[in-house]
Amino acid sequence: MSSWNTPAINTGLADAAPVDMNIREDFKLEDLHTFIKEYANQEKDIGSNLLTISCADLSTYHNAMSLPERYDLVRVRQGGWTEFYSVMFPEHQKHHQRRIYFDNNPRGPYEPPKDLPAEIPQAESMDTTDAGLLH
């Protein structure tokens, strides 16, 4: 992604052009601190003056679509506001899955699990007395 560091965008929050990113669930807290500091100091070539970060693996997004009752606390950031993932329209959910994953890992860029379905299956009705449900 090219930097959008221009005076027109970087002047005040009213002129914000948000950059929405994902990070993996195993992203190290110290790496997040470093990334945010570098972003704030414009040391990372990301640009803009508003950054939203959602922390979820692609498998979590897929599971939340097919089993929303079990993933009802998953929230995502977008353009400066937060939404529960399970109540979003399916197209908006898919948008979050296509977002860039920032990875500060020397192993290379994030690769989603290979065993995820091409299409998200529709959730079947569930017994809400299931002990595994989060209440």
Side-chain angles (χ1 to χ4, degrees):
M1 175 178 1
S2 297
S3 176
W4 285 86
N5 283 329
T6 65
I9 292 175
N10 289 331
T11 305
L13 187 59
D15 297 321
V19 174
D20 299 316
M21 300 181 108
N22 285 315
I23 58 173
R24 297 186 315 195
E25 293 167 17
D26 65 353
F27 199 89
K28 292 185 174 126
L29 184 58
E30 56 271 11
D31 289 342
L32 183 58
H33 287 172
T34 300
F35 171 72
I36 291 173
K37 183 177 179 180
E38 290 172 346
Y39 173 80
N41 293 329
Q42 298 182 359
E43 297 169 16
K44 289 285 184 189
D45 193 26
I46 293 173
S48 189
N49 63 352
L50 178 61
L51 174 69
T52 66
I53 301 173
S54 296
C55 180
D57 290 339
L58 194 53
S59 59
T60 299
Y61 288 142
H62 282 259
N63 291 337
M65 287 182 80
S66 61
L67 299 168
E69 298 90 351
R70 291 183 186 240
Y71 292 84
D72 61 338
L73 297 179
V74 174
R75 295 171 24 146
V76 293
R77 297 282 303 161
Q78 50 196 10
W81 58 283
T82 303
E83 182 63 88
F84 286 100
Y85 189 77
S86 61
V87 300
M88 295 173 69
F89 291 113
E91 293 306 315
H92 293 174
Q93 291 175 330
K94 291 176 187 176
H95 169 77
H96 278 274
Q97 294 176 29
R98 292 189 306 266
R99 281 188 177 173
I100 294 170
Y101 272 85
F102 177 79
D103 195 348
N104 218 15
N105 190 331
R107 291 175 292 151
Y110 173 71
E111 290 291 330
K114 305 268 187 266
D115 59 348
L116 293 176
E119 273 300 312
I120 308 299
Q122 294 297 317
E124 298 177 19
S125 66
M126 297 177 61
D127 179 3
T128 57
T129 61
D130 182 3
L133 286 178
L134 300 173
H135 295 285

